[in-house]
Amino acid sequence: MEDDQELERKISGLKTSMAEGERKTALEMVQAAGTDRQCVTFVLHEEDHTLGNCLRYIIMKNPEVEFCGYTTTHPSESKINLRIQTRGALPAVEPFQKGLTELMNACQCVLVKFEASIKDYKNKKASRSEPTF
């Protein structure tokens, strides 16, 4: 029972609020009755293949993860179901959190390199367009 409360505490840090003061979770953790914490489905609202495929790829690189896959519920709905199954006693929430962190770090690295490339491009363009008298 305490382990379940600990998982809920970890998941609650990943929840967000929606506009207009209405609280709505962006993430739900669904566990079938009688299953253990090593096999969990995470429902991510307002997300699509962009996040689903990237997150699945990063989570599957973890050797403790036996299975990770995602589905979209319906083309008109913007939510995905991400299922994670781990080996041994590792709870599925841990590779999920680690995958999110690694994905954020990768996106930050891409953003930094992209901004540096734009700056270099603008500097080169400015140096070529200087008038020579």
Side-chain angles (χ1 to χ4, degrees):
M1 188 63 149
E2 289 179 22
D3 291 336
D4 292 336
Q5 290 173 347
E6 177 68 17
L7 286 176
E8 282 299 319
R9 186 186 59 76
K10 287 181 178 181
I11 292 296
S12 67
L14 300 171
K15 295 180 181 178
T16 61
S17 62
M18 301 301 283
E20 301 175 16
E22 178 182 312
R23 297 273 308 167
K24 184 176 181 181
T25 59
L27 172 69
E28 293 177 54
M29 191 171 83
V30 180
Q31 204 169 352
T35 60
D36 53 11
R37 299 180 333 200
Q38 289 77 23
C39 189
V40 177
T41 299
F42 299 92
V43 180
L44 292 100
H45 297 274
E46 304 301 324
E47 297 297 343
D48 58 11
H49 292 285
T50 305
L51 178 66
N53 197 35
C54 294
L55 195 54
R56 180 203 57 82
Y57 173 76
I58 287 176
I59 291 173
M60 277 304 297
K61 289 183 356 179
N62 185 339
E64 293 295 315
V65 174
E66 187 172 7
F67 172 80
C68 181
Y70 78 97
T71 60
T72 56
T73 55
H74 189 272
S76 66
E77 290 182 321
S78 58
K79 71 177 182 179
I80 59 172
N81 296 325
L82 182 80
R83 185 155 183 90
I84 301 174
Q85 183 174 341
T86 60
R87 295 181 172 93
L90 181 70
V93 71
E94 290 183 21
F96 179 69
Q97 288 177 323
K98 185 178 178 185
L100 287 172
T101 302
E102 289 178 14
L103 184 58
M104 284 191 324
N105 292 340
C107 289
Q108 186 64 35
C109 181
V110 169
L111 179 63
V112 167
K113 290 184 180 193
F114 178 73
E115 289 173 343
S117 295
I118 289 176
K119 186 177 179 182
D120 288 346
Y121 173 77
K122 287 182 178 179
N123 289 340
K124 288 178 185 176
K125 186 176 179 183
S127 66
R128 283 183 292 187
S129 65
E130 292 178 351
T132 55
F133 290 96

Short mmCIF file of all heavy atoms in Angstrom, two decimals, residues 12-76:
data_model
loop_
_atom_site.label_atom_id
_atom_site.label_comp_id
_atom_site.label_asym_id
_atom_site.label_seq_id
_atom_site.Cartn_x
_atom_site.Cartn_y
_atom_site.Cartn_z
N SER A 12 2.19 12.51 -9.38
CA SER A 12 1.54 13.80 -9.17
C SER A 12 2.45 14.95 -9.57
O SER A 12 1.97 16.01 -9.95
CB SER A 12 1.09 13.94 -7.72
OG SER A 12 2.22 14.03 -6.87
N GLY A 13 3.74 14.76 -9.54
CA GLY A 13 4.67 15.79 -9.98
C GLY A 13 4.64 15.99 -11.48
O GLY A 13 5.09 17.01 -11.99
N LEU A 14 4.09 15.05 -12.23
CA LEU A 14 4.03 15.15 -13.68
C LEU A 14 2.70 15.70 -14.19
O LEU A 14 2.54 15.89 -15.37
CB LEU A 14 4.28 13.77 -14.30
CG LEU A 14 5.62 13.13 -13.96
CD1 LEU A 14 5.64 11.69 -14.46
CD2 LEU A 14 6.76 13.92 -14.55
N LYS A 15 1.76 15.94 -13.30
CA LYS A 15 0.45 16.43 -13.71
C LYS A 15 0.50 17.93 -13.94
O LYS A 15 1.24 18.65 -13.29
CB LYS A 15 -0.60 16.10 -12.65
CG LYS A 15 -0.82 14.61 -12.49
CD LYS A 15 -1.86 14.33 -11.45
CE LYS A 15 -2.05 12.83 -11.30
NZ LYS A 15 -3.01 12.51 -10.27
N THR A 16 -0.31 18.42 -14.88
CA THR A 16 -0.37 19.85 -15.17
C THR A 16 -1.81 20.33 -15.16
O THR A 16 -2.74 19.54 -15.19
CB THR A 16 0.23 20.16 -16.56
OG1 THR A 16 -0.54 19.47 -17.55
CG2 THR A 16 1.67 19.72 -16.66
N SER A 17 -1.98 21.61 -15.14
CA SER A 17 -3.33 22.17 -15.18
C SER A 17 -3.60 22.75 -16.56
O SER A 17 -2.69 23.21 -17.24
CB SER A 17 -3.49 23.25 -14.11
OG SER A 17 -2.60 24.30 -14.35
N MET A 18 -4.84 22.77 -16.94
CA MET A 18 -5.26 23.28 -18.23
C MET A 18 -5.67 24.75 -18.08
O MET A 18 -5.76 25.28 -16.99
CB MET A 18 -6.42 22.43 -18.78
CG MET A 18 -6.09 20.97 -18.95
SD MET A 18 -4.72 20.66 -20.05
CE MET A 18 -5.52 20.91 -21.60
N ALA A 19 -5.98 25.40 -19.20
CA ALA A 19 -6.37 26.80 -19.21
C ALA A 19 -7.72 27.01 -18.53
O ALA A 19 -8.46 26.06 -18.25
CB ALA A 19 -6.44 27.29 -20.65
N GLU A 20 -8.04 28.26 -18.26
CA GLU A 20 -9.31 28.69 -17.70
C GLU A 20 -9.55 28.14 -16.30
O GLU A 20 -10.68 27.91 -15.90
CB GLU A 20 -10.48 28.33 -18.62
CG GLU A 20 -10.36 28.95 -20.00
CD GLU A 20 -11.46 28.50 -20.93
OE1 GLU A 20 -12.48 27.95 -20.45
OE2 GLU A 20 -11.31 28.71 -22.13
N GLY A 21 -8.50 27.92 -15.54
CA GLY A 21 -8.63 27.51 -14.17
C GLY A 21 -9.15 26.10 -13.95
O GLY A 21 -9.31 25.66 -12.83
N GLU A 22 -9.41 25.37 -15.00
CA GLU A 22 -9.94 24.01 -14.89
C GLU A 22 -8.78 23.04 -14.72
O GLU A 22 -7.91 22.97 -15.55
CB GLU A 22 -10.71 23.69 -16.18
CG GLU A 22 -11.27 22.30 -16.24
CD GLU A 22 -11.96 22.07 -17.57
OE1 GLU A 22 -12.77 22.92 -17.98
OE2 GLU A 22 -11.67 21.05 -18.20
N ARG A 23 -8.76 22.31 -13.61
CA ARG A 23 -7.69 21.34 -13.37
C ARG A 23 -8.00 20.06 -14.12
O ARG A 23 -9.04 19.46 -13.95
CB ARG A 23 -7.54 21.02 -11.88
CG ARG A 23 -7.14 22.17 -11.01
CD ARG A 23 -5.71 22.43 -10.85
NE ARG A 23 -4.89 21.31 -10.45
CZ ARG A 23 -3.58 21.36 -10.52
NH1 ARG A 23 -2.98 22.42 -10.97
NH2 ARG A 23 -2.86 20.34 -10.14
N LYS A 24 -7.07 19.65 -14.97
CA LYS A 24 -7.21 18.41 -15.70
C LYS A 24 -5.83 17.77 -15.78
O LYS A 24 -4.86 18.45 -16.06
CB LYS A 24 -7.75 18.68 -17.11
CG LYS A 24 -8.01 17.43 -17.90
CD LYS A 24 -8.62 17.76 -19.23
CE LYS A 24 -8.88 16.49 -20.01
NZ LYS A 24 -9.47 16.79 -21.32
N THR A 25 -5.74 16.50 -15.52
CA THR A 25 -4.45 15.85 -15.54
C THR A 25 -4.00 15.62 -16.98
O THR A 25 -4.79 15.27 -17.84
CB THR A 25 -4.48 14.51 -14.80
OG1 THR A 25 -5.44 13.68 -15.42
CG2 THR A 25 -4.79 14.69 -13.34
N ALA A 26 -2.73 15.87 -17.21
CA ALA A 26 -2.15 15.61 -18.52
C ALA A 26 -1.64 14.18 -18.59
O ALA A 26 -1.29 13.70 -19.66
CB ALA A 26 -1.01 16.58 -18.80
N LEU A 27 -1.61 13.51 -17.45
CA LEU A 27 -1.07 12.17 -17.37
C LEU A 27 -1.90 11.34 -16.41
O LEU A 27 -2.26 11.78 -15.32
CB LEU A 27 0.38 12.23 -16.87
CG LEU A 27 1.06 10.91 -16.55
CD1 LEU A 27 1.30 10.12 -17.82
CD2 LEU A 27 2.36 11.17 -15.85
N GLU A 28 -2.20 10.12 -16.85
CA GLU A 28 -2.89 9.16 -15.97
C GLU A 28 -2.08 7.88 -15.98
O GLU A 28 -1.47 7.52 -16.99
CB GLU A 28 -4.28 8.84 -16.49
CG GLU A 28 -5.26 9.96 -16.46
CD GLU A 28 -6.58 9.56 -17.07
OE1 GLU A 28 -7.15 8.53 -16.63
OE2 GLU A 28 -7.02 10.24 -18.00
N MET A 29 -2.11 7.17 -14.87
CA MET A 29 -1.45 5.88 -14.78
C MET A 29 -2.54 4.83 -14.63
O MET A 29 -3.30 4.85 -13.67
CB MET A 29 -0.50 5.85 -13.59
CG MET A 29 0.41 4.67 -13.56
SD MET A 29 1.69 4.78 -12.30
CE MET A 29 0.79 4.23 -10.88
N VAL A 30 -2.62 3.92 -15.61
CA VAL A 30 -3.66 2.90 -15.61
C VAL A 30 -3.01 1.55 -15.38
O VAL A 30 -2.06 1.17 -16.06
CB VAL A 30 -4.42 2.89 -16.95
CG1 VAL A 30 -5.49 1.83 -16.94
CG2 VAL A 30 -4.99 4.26 -17.24
N GLN A 31 -3.53 0.82 -14.41
CA GLN A 31 -2.99 -0.49 -14.08
C GLN A 31 -4.16 -1.47 -13.99
O GLN A 31 -5.14 -1.21 -13.29
CB GLN A 31 -2.26 -0.41 -12.74
CG GLN A 31 -1.22 -1.43 -12.54
CD GLN A 31 -0.36 -1.10 -11.32
OE1 GLN A 31 -0.46 -0.05 -10.73
NE2 GLN A 31 0.46 -2.05 -10.95
N ALA A 32 -4.08 -2.54 -14.73
CA ALA A 32 -5.15 -3.54 -14.70
C ALA A 32 -5.21 -4.20 -13.33
O ALA A 32 -4.19 -4.36 -12.65
CB ALA A 32 -4.91 -4.59 -15.77
N ALA A 33 -6.38 -4.58 -12.93
CA ALA A 33 -6.56 -5.23 -11.63
C ALA A 33 -5.77 -6.53 -11.58
O ALA A 33 -5.78 -7.32 -12.52
CB ALA A 33 -8.04 -5.51 -11.38
N GLY A 34 -5.06 -6.72 -10.50
CA GLY A 34 -4.30 -7.95 -10.31
C GLY A 34 -2.92 -7.93 -10.94
O GLY A 34 -2.20 -8.91 -10.86
N THR A 35 -2.53 -6.82 -11.58
CA THR A 35 -1.19 -6.76 -12.18
C THR A 35 -0.24 -6.06 -11.22
O THR A 35 -0.65 -5.38 -10.28
CB THR A 35 -1.21 -6.00 -13.52
OG1 THR A 35 -1.67 -4.67 -13.29
CG2 THR A 35 -2.09 -6.70 -14.53
N ASP A 36 1.03 -6.23 -11.46
CA ASP A 36 2.04 -5.62 -10.60
C ASP A 36 2.47 -4.26 -11.16
O ASP A 36 2.03 -3.83 -12.21
CB ASP A 36 3.23 -6.55 -10.43
CG ASP A 36 3.78 -7.02 -11.76
OD1 ASP A 36 3.39 -6.46 -12.79
OD2 ASP A 36 4.62 -7.93 -11.76
N ARG A 37 3.37 -3.60 -10.45
CA ARG A 37 3.83 -2.26 -10.83
C ARG A 37 4.82 -2.30 -11.99
O ARG A 37 5.22 -1.26 -12.48
CB ARG A 37 4.48 -1.58 -9.64
CG ARG A 37 3.54 -1.39 -8.48
CD ARG A 37 4.22 -0.73 -7.34
NE ARG A 37 5.65 -1.01 -7.34
CZ ARG A 37 6.46 -0.91 -6.33
NH1 ARG A 37 5.97 -0.53 -5.19
NH2 ARG A 37 7.73 -1.18 -6.41
N GLN A 38 5.21 -3.49 -12.43
CA GLN A 38 6.17 -3.60 -13.51
C GLN A 38 5.51 -3.49 -14.88
O GLN A 38 6.19 -3.41 -15.90
CB GLN A 38 6.95 -4.93 -13.43
CG GLN A 38 7.94 -4.98 -12.29
CD GLN A 38 7.29 -5.23 -10.94
OE1 GLN A 38 6.19 -5.76 -10.85
NE2 GLN A 38 7.97 -4.84 -9.88
N CYS A 39 4.20 -3.48 -14.95
CA CYS A 39 3.48 -3.39 -16.22
C CYS A 39 2.37 -2.35 -16.08
O CYS A 39 1.35 -2.60 -15.45
CB CYS A 39 2.90 -4.76 -16.58
SG CYS A 39 2.23 -4.83 -18.23
N VAL A 40 2.62 -1.17 -16.65
CA VAL A 40 1.71 -0.04 -16.46
C VAL A 40 1.47 0.65 -17.80
O VAL A 40 2.36 0.73 -18.63
CB VAL A 40 2.30 0.97 -15.45
CG1 VAL A 40 1.42 2.19 -15.29
CG2 VAL A 40 2.54 0.32 -14.10
N THR A 41 0.26 1.18 -17.97
CA THR A 41 -0.06 2.01 -19.13
C THR A 41 -0.21 3.44 -18.66
O THR A 41 -0.95 3.71 -17.71
CB THR A 41 -1.36 1.54 -19.81
OG1 THR A 41 -1.19 0.20 -20.26
CG2 THR A 41 -1.71 2.43 -20.99
N PHE A 42 0.51 4.35 -19.32
CA PHE A 42 0.43 5.77 -19.03
C PHE A 42 -0.39 6.42 -20.13
O PHE A 42 -0.11 6.22 -21.31
CB PHE A 42 1.82 6.40 -18.97
CG PHE A 42 2.69 5.81 -17.91
CD1 PHE A 42 3.54 4.76 -18.19
CD2 PHE A 42 2.66 6.30 -16.62
CE1 PHE A 42 4.35 4.21 -17.21
CE2 PHE A 42 3.45 5.75 -15.63
CZ PHE A 42 4.30 4.70 -15.93
N VAL A 43 -1.41 7.19 -19.76
CA VAL A 43 -2.24 7.90 -20.73
C VAL A 43 -1.80 9.35 -20.71
O VAL A 43 -1.90 10.02 -19.68
CB VAL A 43 -3.74 7.78 -20.38
CG1 VAL A 43 -4.58 8.51 -21.41
CG2 VAL A 43 -4.15 6.32 -20.28
N LEU A 44 -1.28 9.82 -21.84
CA LEU A 44 -0.81 11.20 -21.96
C LEU A 44 -1.82 11.97 -22.81
O LEU A 44 -1.97 11.70 -24.00
CB LEU A 44 0.57 11.24 -22.59
CG LEU A 44 1.67 10.66 -21.71
CD1 LEU A 44 2.00 9.26 -22.15
CD2 LEU A 44 2.88 11.54 -21.77
N HIS A 45 -2.49 12.93 -22.18
CA HIS A 45 -3.50 13.73 -22.87
C HIS A 45 -2.82 14.86 -23.63
O HIS A 45 -1.75 15.35 -23.24
CB HIS A 45 -4.50 14.29 -21.87
CG HIS A 45 -5.27 13.22 -21.17
ND1 HIS A 45 -6.41 12.68 -21.69
CD2 HIS A 45 -5.04 12.57 -20.00
CE1 HIS A 45 -6.87 11.74 -20.87
NE2 HIS A 45 -6.06 11.66 -19.84
N GLU A 46 -3.44 15.30 -24.71
CA GLU A 46 -2.96 16.39 -25.55
C GLU A 46 -1.58 16.09 -26.16
O GLU A 46 -0.76 16.97 -26.33
CB GLU A 46 -2.91 17.72 -24.78
CG GLU A 46 -4.23 18.12 -24.16
CD GLU A 46 -5.34 18.30 -25.18
OE1 GLU A 46 -5.07 18.77 -26.30
OE2 GLU A 46 -6.49 17.94 -24.86
N GLU A 47 -1.32 14.83 -26.47
CA GLU A 47 -0.08 14.41 -27.10
C GLU A 47 -0.38 13.52 -28.29
O GLU A 47 -1.48 13.00 -28.43
CB GLU A 47 0.83 13.68 -26.10
CG GLU A 47 1.28 14.52 -24.94
CD GLU A 47 2.14 15.71 -25.33
OE1 GLU A 47 2.68 15.75 -26.45
OE2 GLU A 47 2.26 16.62 -24.50
N ASP A 48 0.62 13.32 -29.15
CA ASP A 48 0.43 12.51 -30.35
C ASP A 48 1.70 11.72 -30.66
O ASP A 48 2.54 11.52 -29.78
CB ASP A 48 -0.01 13.38 -31.53
CG ASP A 48 0.99 14.49 -31.85
OD1 ASP A 48 2.11 14.48 -31.30
OD2 ASP A 48 0.66 15.37 -32.65
N HIS A 49 1.85 11.31 -31.92
CA HIS A 49 2.99 10.49 -32.33
C HIS A 49 4.33 11.17 -32.08
O HIS A 49 5.33 10.49 -31.89
CB HIS A 49 2.88 10.15 -33.82
CG HIS A 49 1.75 9.23 -34.14
ND1 HIS A 49 1.78 7.88 -33.86
CD2 HIS A 49 0.55 9.46 -34.72
CE1 HIS A 49 0.65 7.33 -34.26
NE2 HIS A 49 -0.11 8.26 -34.79
N THR A 50 4.37 12.49 -32.11
CA THR A 50 5.64 13.20 -31.93
C THR A 50 6.29 12.81 -30.61
O THR A 50 7.45 12.42 -30.57
CB THR A 50 5.40 14.72 -31.99
OG1 THR A 50 4.75 15.05 -33.21
CG2 THR A 50 6.71 15.47 -31.88
N LEU A 51 5.55 12.91 -29.54
CA LEU A 51 6.09 12.53 -28.23
C LEU A 51 6.12 11.02 -28.07
O LEU A 51 7.09 10.47 -27.55
CB LEU A 51 5.27 13.16 -27.10
CG LEU A 51 5.73 12.78 -25.69
CD1 LEU A 51 7.12 13.36 -25.41
CD2 LEU A 51 4.74 13.25 -24.67
N GLY A 52 5.08 10.34 -28.52
CA GLY A 52 4.97 8.90 -28.32
C GLY A 52 6.13 8.12 -28.90
O GLY A 52 6.72 7.27 -28.22
N ASN A 53 6.49 8.39 -30.13
CA ASN A 53 7.56 7.63 -30.77
C ASN A 53 8.92 7.96 -30.17
O ASN A 53 9.75 7.07 -29.95
CB ASN A 53 7.56 7.87 -32.28
CG ASN A 53 8.35 6.83 -33.01
OD1 ASN A 53 8.37 5.67 -32.64
ND2 ASN A 53 9.01 7.25 -34.07
N CYS A 54 9.18 9.23 -29.90
CA CYS A 54 10.46 9.63 -29.29
C CYS A 54 10.62 9.00 -27.91
O CYS A 54 11.69 8.46 -27.57
CB CYS A 54 10.56 11.14 -29.17
SG CYS A 54 10.61 12.02 -30.72
N LEU A 55 9.57 9.07 -27.12
CA LEU A 55 9.63 8.53 -25.76
C LEU A 55 9.77 7.02 -25.78
O LEU A 55 10.55 6.45 -25.01
CB LEU A 55 8.38 8.97 -24.99
CG LEU A 55 8.39 8.81 -23.49
CD1 LEU A 55 9.60 9.49 -22.87
CD2 LEU A 55 7.12 9.39 -22.91
N ARG A 56 9.06 6.36 -26.67
CA ARG A 56 9.17 4.91 -26.79
C ARG A 56 10.60 4.51 -27.14
O ARG A 56 11.17 3.59 -26.55
CB ARG A 56 8.22 4.40 -27.88
CG ARG A 56 8.28 2.88 -28.07
CD ARG A 56 7.81 2.47 -29.45
NE ARG A 56 8.53 3.09 -30.52
CZ ARG A 56 9.72 2.68 -30.98
NH1 ARG A 56 10.32 1.65 -30.44
NH2 ARG A 56 10.31 3.31 -31.96
N TYR A 57 11.22 5.21 -28.08
CA TYR A 57 12.59 4.90 -28.49
C TYR A 57 13.56 5.05 -27.32
O TYR A 57 14.39 4.15 -27.07
CB TYR A 57 13.01 5.83 -29.64
CG TYR A 57 14.45 5.69 -30.02
CD1 TYR A 57 14.89 4.61 -30.76
CD2 TYR A 57 15.39 6.64 -29.62
CE1 TYR A 57 16.22 4.47 -31.10
CE2 TYR A 57 16.72 6.50 -29.95
CZ TYR A 57 17.13 5.43 -30.70
OH TYR A 57 18.46 5.29 -31.02
N ILE A 58 13.47 6.14 -26.58
CA ILE A 58 14.39 6.39 -25.47
C ILE A 58 14.18 5.37 -24.35
O ILE A 58 15.14 4.84 -23.78
CB ILE A 58 14.24 7.83 -24.96
CG1 ILE A 58 14.86 8.77 -26.00
CG2 ILE A 58 14.89 8.01 -23.61
CD1 ILE A 58 14.72 10.23 -25.69
N ILE A 59 12.93 5.06 -24.04
CA ILE A 59 12.66 4.11 -22.95
C ILE A 59 13.14 2.71 -23.33
O ILE A 59 13.67 1.99 -22.49
CB ILE A 59 11.16 4.12 -22.59
CG1 ILE A 59 10.81 5.46 -21.94
CG2 ILE A 59 10.80 2.96 -21.68
CD1 ILE A 59 9.33 5.67 -21.69
N MET A 60 12.99 2.32 -24.60
CA MET A 60 13.43 0.98 -25.02
C MET A 60 14.94 0.82 -24.98
O MET A 60 15.44 -0.30 -24.96
CB MET A 60 12.92 0.67 -26.43
CG MET A 60 11.50 0.16 -26.46
SD MET A 60 11.20 -1.30 -25.44
CE MET A 60 12.25 -2.51 -26.22
N LYS A 61 15.70 1.90 -24.94
CA LYS A 61 17.15 1.80 -24.82
C LYS A 61 17.58 1.34 -23.43
O LYS A 61 18.70 0.89 -23.25
CB LYS A 61 17.81 3.13 -25.17
CG LYS A 61 17.71 3.44 -26.65
CD LYS A 61 18.40 4.70 -27.13
CE LYS A 61 19.04 5.59 -26.16
NZ LYS A 61 19.69 6.76 -26.75
N ASN A 62 16.70 1.43 -22.47
CA ASN A 62 16.98 1.00 -21.10
C ASN A 62 16.97 -0.53 -21.07
O ASN A 62 15.97 -1.15 -21.41
CB ASN A 62 15.92 1.58 -20.16
CG ASN A 62 16.18 1.27 -18.71
OD1 ASN A 62 16.90 0.34 -18.36
ND2 ASN A 62 15.58 2.07 -17.85
N PRO A 63 18.06 -1.17 -20.64
CA PRO A 63 18.10 -2.64 -20.63
C PRO A 63 17.13 -3.29 -19.64
O PRO A 63 16.82 -4.47 -19.78
CB PRO A 63 19.56 -2.95 -20.26
CG PRO A 63 20.09 -1.72 -19.63
CD PRO A 63 19.31 -0.58 -20.20
N GLU A 64 16.64 -2.54 -18.68
CA GLU A 64 15.68 -3.07 -17.71
C GLU A 64 14.26 -3.10 -18.25
O GLU A 64 13.37 -3.66 -17.62
CB GLU A 64 15.72 -2.25 -16.42
CG GLU A 64 17.02 -2.36 -15.66
CD GLU A 64 17.26 -3.76 -15.15
OE1 GLU A 64 16.32 -4.38 -14.60
OE2 GLU A 64 18.39 -4.26 -15.30
N VAL A 65 14.03 -2.50 -19.42
CA VAL A 65 12.69 -2.44 -20.00
C VAL A 65 12.53 -3.60 -20.97
O VAL A 65 13.31 -3.77 -21.90
CB VAL A 65 12.45 -1.09 -20.72
CG1 VAL A 65 11.12 -1.09 -21.44
CG2 VAL A 65 12.51 0.05 -19.71
N GLU A 66 11.52 -4.41 -20.73
CA GLU A 66 11.24 -5.56 -21.59
C GLU A 66 10.37 -5.16 -22.78
O GLU A 66 10.56 -5.65 -23.89
CB GLU A 66 10.53 -6.64 -20.77
CG GLU A 66 10.35 -7.93 -21.51
CD GLU A 66 9.82 -9.03 -20.60
OE1 GLU A 66 9.48 -8.76 -19.43
OE2 GLU A 66 9.76 -10.17 -21.06
N PHE A 67 9.41 -4.25 -22.55
CA PHE A 67 8.52 -3.82 -23.62
C PHE A 67 8.12 -2.37 -23.39
O PHE A 67 7.87 -1.95 -22.26
CB PHE A 67 7.25 -4.68 -23.65
CG PHE A 67 6.21 -4.17 -24.60
CD1 PHE A 67 6.31 -4.45 -25.96
CD2 PHE A 67 5.15 -3.40 -24.16
CE1 PHE A 67 5.36 -3.98 -26.85
CE2 PHE A 67 4.20 -2.93 -25.03
CZ PHE A 67 4.30 -3.21 -26.38
N CYS A 68 8.07 -1.62 -24.47
CA CYS A 68 7.51 -0.27 -24.44
C CYS A 68 6.88 0.00 -25.80
O CYS A 68 7.54 -0.16 -26.83
CB CYS A 68 8.59 0.77 -24.13
SG CYS A 68 7.92 2.45 -24.05
N GLY A 69 5.63 0.36 -25.80
CA GLY A 69 4.94 0.68 -27.03
C GLY A 69 3.85 1.69 -26.75
O GLY A 69 3.46 1.92 -25.61
N TYR A 70 3.39 2.33 -27.82
CA TYR A 70 2.33 3.31 -27.63
C TYR A 70 1.29 3.18 -28.74
O TYR A 70 1.57 2.64 -29.80
CB TYR A 70 2.90 4.74 -27.61
CG TYR A 70 3.22 5.28 -28.98
CD1 TYR A 70 2.33 6.11 -29.65
CD2 TYR A 70 4.42 4.96 -29.61
CE1 TYR A 70 2.62 6.58 -30.91
CE2 TYR A 70 4.72 5.43 -30.86
CZ TYR A 70 3.81 6.26 -31.51
OH TYR A 70 4.10 6.73 -32.77
N THR A 71 0.10 3.65 -28.45
CA THR A 71 -0.97 3.72 -29.44
C THR A 71 -1.68 5.05 -29.29
O THR A 71 -1.70 5.64 -28.21
CB THR A 71 -2.01 2.60 -29.26
OG1 THR A 71 -2.60 2.72 -27.96
CG2 THR A 71 -1.40 1.23 -29.41
N THR A 72 -2.26 5.50 -30.39
CA THR A 72 -3.16 6.65 -30.30
C THR A 72 -4.57 6.06 -30.21
O THR A 72 -4.88 5.06 -30.86
CB THR A 72 -3.05 7.56 -31.54
OG1 THR A 72 -3.29 6.79 -32.71
CG2 THR A 72 -1.67 8.19 -31.62
N THR A 73 -5.39 6.67 -29.40
CA THR A 73 -6.72 6.10 -29.18
C THR A 73 -7.60 6.25 -30.41
O THR A 73 -8.30 5.32 -30.78
CB THR A 73 -7.39 6.77 -27.97
OG1 THR A 73 -7.39 8.18 -28.17
CG2 THR A 73 -6.64 6.44 -26.70
N HIS A 74 -7.56 7.41 -31.04
CA HIS A 74 -8.38 7.68 -32.22
C HIS A 74 -7.80 8.92 -32.90
O HIS A 74 -7.29 9.81 -32.21
CB HIS A 74 -9.83 7.93 -31.82
CG HIS A 74 -10.76 8.00 -32.98
ND1 HIS A 74 -11.02 9.18 -33.64
CD2 HIS A 74 -11.49 7.06 -33.60
CE1 HIS A 74 -11.87 8.96 -34.63
NE2 HIS A 74 -12.17 7.68 -34.62
N PRO A 75 -7.83 8.99 -34.24
CA PRO A 75 -7.26 10.17 -34.91
C PRO A 75 -7.86 11.51 -34.48
O PRO A 75 -7.19 12.53 -34.52
CB PRO A 75 -7.54 9.91 -36.39
CG PRO A 75 -7.67 8.43 -36.50
CD PRO A 75 -8.27 7.98 -35.20
N SER A 76 -9.09 11.51 -34.04
CA SER A 76 -9.71 12.78 -33.63
C SER A 76 -9.43 13.12 -32.17
O SER A 76 -9.73 14.22 -31.72
CB SER A 76 -11.22 12.72 -33.85
OG SER A 76 -11.81 11.78 -33.00
#
